[in-house]
Amino acid sequence: MTNNVERAKAAMLNISQSLGLPEHYPEDLNKDLESLSSSKGGKWLWLLRTCGTVLVPLQVGVHPTYVNYWLHSNHGQKVICFVVDLDKGLVTQTTFEEAERLIEQPPKTINSSMSQEQLANTVHSVLEEGCERQLWGIFESPTSVEAFGSWQKWQSYFHSTENKVMADFMAKAVRFARTHQNQIGQAL
C-alpha cells in the first residue's frame, strides 16, 4: 500500500506542476500530501484550484458542500477534479458531474436484509470513523459515537448541519432498525 500512496502523491505533484495550479496557497498541496501519507487508503476527491486545493475522502459522509461549492458557485477560479485511488496508486481526472455524484454517495450500503447486528455494526463503524477523523462540522465535530446517544439524534444533528448524505443514511438506518424491532415483536 505504501508504494501506491507514494505513486499517487507523485502523480498529484506532477499534475499540479504541469497545470500550474494552485497559483495561490500552494501550501494546500503539501497538506493534501501529508493527509494522504497518514490515511488508511481508499478513494479521495481532489479539487485543484487557482487558489488552493480541496481533498476529501469519499464514502465516509463528508458534507457535499466541501466539493459542491467549488463546482457550482461563481468564484472565478479554475477548478479541475480528480479521483485519487490510494489502493491502486492512481490519480484520474473526472468531470464536475462525476465529482458531485461521488461526494453524494453514502458512506456504506445498508439494506433491509441485513441482520440487526450487521446494521448496528455498520452504522457504528461509520459514526466511529467520522468522529475519529473529525469529518463533520466546520469548527467543531462530534468526537464520539456517544455524542448524541441515539441514531435519531444523530439523524437530527446531520439534518441540522444540512449534511443530506448522512441525514439520509441515518434515516435509512433508523427505518431498518424499526423494521427489525417490529419483526421481533411479531415473532413473540
Side-chain angles (χ1 to χ4, degrees):
M1 164 108 154
T2 303
N3 289 339
N4 288 339
V5 171
E6 293 306 316
R7 191 173 337 145
K9 288 169 46 179
M12 291 169 72
L13 279 171
N14 288 336
I15 290 167
S16 173
Q17 289 171 353
S18 70
L19 295 174
L21 294 173
E23 293 174 15
H24 308 284
Y25 307 108
E27 61 274 9
D28 282 6
L29 180 59
N30 295 329
K31 291 176 187 173
D32 293 348
L33 300 176
E34 286 176 28
S35 293
L36 295 178
S37 291
S38 62
S39 78
K40 298 177 185 176
K43 290 185 179 180
W44 297 67
L45 195 55
W46 182 48
L47 306 183
L48 196 50
R49 304 179 292 117
T50 305
C51 295
T53 66
V54 174
L55 179 72
V56 294
L58 292 171
Q59 293 183 303
V60 292
V62 170
H63 197 306
T65 196
Y66 286 108
V67 170
N68 291 342
Y69 171 79
W70 298 109
L71 301 180
H72 300 296
S73 53
N74 187 16
H75 46 69
Q77 292 190 51
K78 182 176 187 175
V79 178
I80 304 174
C81 307
F82 298 88
V83 174
V84 179
D85 186 337
L86 292 184
D87 299 329
K88 295 179 180 177
L90 299 174
V91 179
T92 53
Q93 189 170 345
T94 191
T95 64
F96 281 18
E97 293 79 17
E98 180 65 7
E100 185 173 35
R101 187 190 71 74
L102 289 169
I103 197 64
E104 292 179 0
Q105 289 181 341
K108 299 271 187 201
T109 301
I110 55 176
N111 58 57
S112 59
S113 66
M114 296 174 88
S115 71
Q116 190 169 358
E117 183 179 357
Q118 288 171 317
L119 178 64
N121 288 341
T122 301
V123 172
H124 183 82
S125 72
V126 166
L127 293 175
E128 187 173 62
E129 181 178 5
C131 290
E132 285 175 7
R133 293 173 74 176
Q134 298 184 329
L135 297 175
W136 306 307
I138 294 174
F139 300 108
E140 287 187 36
S141 183
T143 57
S144 75
V145 176
E146 294 76 30
F148 297 108
S150 71
W151 290 0
Q152 291 91 344
K153 289 181 181 174
W154 272 103
Q155 180 185 357
S156 294
Y157 165 74
F158 289 122
H159 183 71
S160 73
T161 61
E162 298 179 5
N163 184 338
K164 184 170 175 10
V165 170
M166 285 304 297
D168 290 350
F169 177 80
M170 293 307 299
K172 199 174 192 182
V174 167
R175 189 171 61 251
F176 292 153
R178 285 186 182 140
T179 300
H180 283 297
Q181 289 172 346
N182 290 340
Q183 290 170 346
I184 291 169
Q186 291 173 357
L188 297 175

